Amino acid sequence: MIAARDLPEFLRSAQLELVDGVPVAPLVFVDLDDVGGSVPFRQPTSVVLVGVASGALDETARALAERLACTLVSGVAGSEYEIAVDDLAHARATIQAGVTRSPRAALTLMSLLGASSQLSVGDGLVLESLAYSMLLSGAEFTRWRASSAARPIPSVGTEPVLLERSGAALSVTLNRPERRNSFSRAMRDAVIEALELVELDSTIAMATLSGAGPSFCSGGDLDEFGGSVDLASAHLIRLERSAAAHLDRVSDRVTVLLHGACIGAGIEIPSFAGRVVAAPDTVIKLPELAMGLVPGAGGTVGIRRRIGRWRTAWLVLSGEPIDAATAQQWGLVDDVTG
């Protein structure tokens, strides 16, 4: 860990050092208890900078924290740049483990979060998809895929999404409870068809999106990950068949009802809805970094819009879950029921 007062000098000489194509020192923790004055610097692309503070940040430290990936604080967070944690050592260790495992993906994430704040939703989704496709061809994802061999996906003969119309209301239910509603290609296409119906039919005043079984959605179906040989074509399909983009177009008429596990795509896509309501048992997590990837279902756009790039960075870099109360406090969900 380096003192904040030494950061400008450190960054002047910092550059991306690779050994066999792997970044050597992709993560630096910055001690915000030792700021010592104004420390302006240019945001680097060669290293992930994470602040650490044992207590509340003063005005100078907070100005610095705005420039970092995120800042871990012991106690109460005083701004959206800060992540309040019970155990600083544990929080640092989770980030260290994630970035060490997938340094290329971590650095790509930070570039994405920085750039997407200046882009429209559509352009942000394009950038995310390009980065995601690139990482699918990388060594970090290849290593994860080799350690987690894809299994045959059982067919149970049920519709992946159920629709029910009652007057001006449309109910859309994810219907793969036996697989925790993992977001397969078939489910994606069915959700998009439902959202296209909302877009085309002005008599639908409100649609709700929910999930059958114990969880709303456990994320993308891992047994389908990396199944495309042509990653350029996969990128084009991802843009054309983006549930996030379709939801964004009708967001003012869609409420998402979360419960249980909401992982990866299971929170990325809902983040584009006009209203998100969570049950008390909701658990939210972004585990993509462990796979050598960044969020690929719109998370660097939709989640960042709701909670800012610092909290989004924390969720991805650490892979740590948050509960419904924290999600509401941050603005990732609008209400908690029950």
Side-chain angles (χ1 to χ4, degrees), residues 16 23 26 45-48 102-112 289:
L16 185 61
T45 58
S46 59
V47 62
V48 177
S102 304
R104 302 175 186 88
L107 291 170
T108 300
L109 171 74
M110 298 317 303
S111 294
L112 268 179
L289 193 66

Side-chain angles (χ1 to χ4, degrees), residues 162-226:
L162 302 177
L163 301 183
E164 183 177 351
R165 178 77 183 260
S166 178
L170 177 69
S171 173
V172 182
T173 305
L174 307 183
N175 189 41
R176 298 181 79 201
E178 75 285 351
R179 290 181 69 88
R180 297 295 194 273
N181 293 323
S182 57
F183 207 71
S184 63
R185 296 185 188 97
M187 179 177 283
R188 174 202 65 194
D189 290 344
V191 167
I192 287 174
E193 288 179 8
L195 294 172
E196 289 175 335
L197 176 61
V198 175
E199 185 174 10
L200 294 171
D201 189 347
S202 60
T203 67
I204 299 176
M206 180 54 64
T208 58
L209 176 61
S210 61
S215 296
F216 170 74
C217 177
S218 60
D221 194 319
L222 299 185
D223 294 320
E224 292 185 351
F225 275 37

Side-chain angles (χ1 to χ4, degrees), residues 31-239:
D31 182 2
L32 294 185
D33 290 333
D34 185 15
V35 176
S38 178
V39 284
F41 65 91
R42 220 169 87 185
Q43 183 69 28
T45 58
S46 59
V47 62
V48 177
L49 298 175
V50 175
V52 180
S54 60
L57 302 184
D58 62 24
E59 185 176 346
T60 303
R62 191 169 291 122
L64 175 58
E66 184 179 1
R67 310 291 296 277
L68 306 179
C70 62
T71 293
L72 311 175
V73 298
S74 180
V76 178
S79 71
E80 62 181 320
Y81 320 137
E82 304 163 51
I83 310 298
V85 298
D86 295 328
D87 186 335
L88 283 174
H90 173 75
R92 286 180 58 184
T94 59
I95 291 180
Q96 183 78 58
V99 176
T100 300
R101 184 187 302 113
S102 304
R104 302 175 186 88
L107 291 170
T108 300
L109 171 74
M110 298 317 303
S111 294
L112 268 179
L113 292 177
S116 64
S117 62
Q118 309 299 320
L119 300 175
S120 66
V121 168
D123 288 343
L125 291 175
V126 170
L127 189 62
E128 179 185 274
S129 180
L130 286 169
Y132 187 86
S133 297
M134 173 191 69
L135 291 169
L136 280 174
S137 67
E140 292 163 3
F141 174 74
T142 300
R143 183 179 65 241
W144 174 82
R145 183 72 285 178
S147 68
S148 305
R151 304 161 299 175
I153 301 174
S155 175
V156 295
T158 59
E159 293 295 327
V161 170
L162 302 177
L163 301 183
E164 183 177 351
R165 178 77 183 260
S166 178
L170 177 69
S171 173
V172 182
T173 305
L174 307 183
N175 189 41
R176 298 181 79 201
E178 75 285 351
R179 290 181 69 88
R180 297 295 194 273
N181 293 323
S182 57
F183 207 71
S184 63
R185 296 185 188 97
M187 179 177 283
R188 174 202 65 194
D189 290 344
V191 167
I192 287 174
E193 288 179 8
L195 294 172
E196 289 175 335
L197 176 61
V198 175
E199 185 174 10
L200 294 171
D201 189 347
S202 60
T203 67
I204 299 176
M206 180 54 64
T208 58
L209 176 61
S210 61
S215 296
F216 170 74
C217 177
S218 60
D221 194 319
L222 299 185
D223 294 320
E224 292 185 351
F225 275 37
S228 177
V229 176
D230 187 339
L231 297 181
S233 295
H235 160 66
L236 296 176
I237 293 170
R238 191 177 299 110
L239 293 181

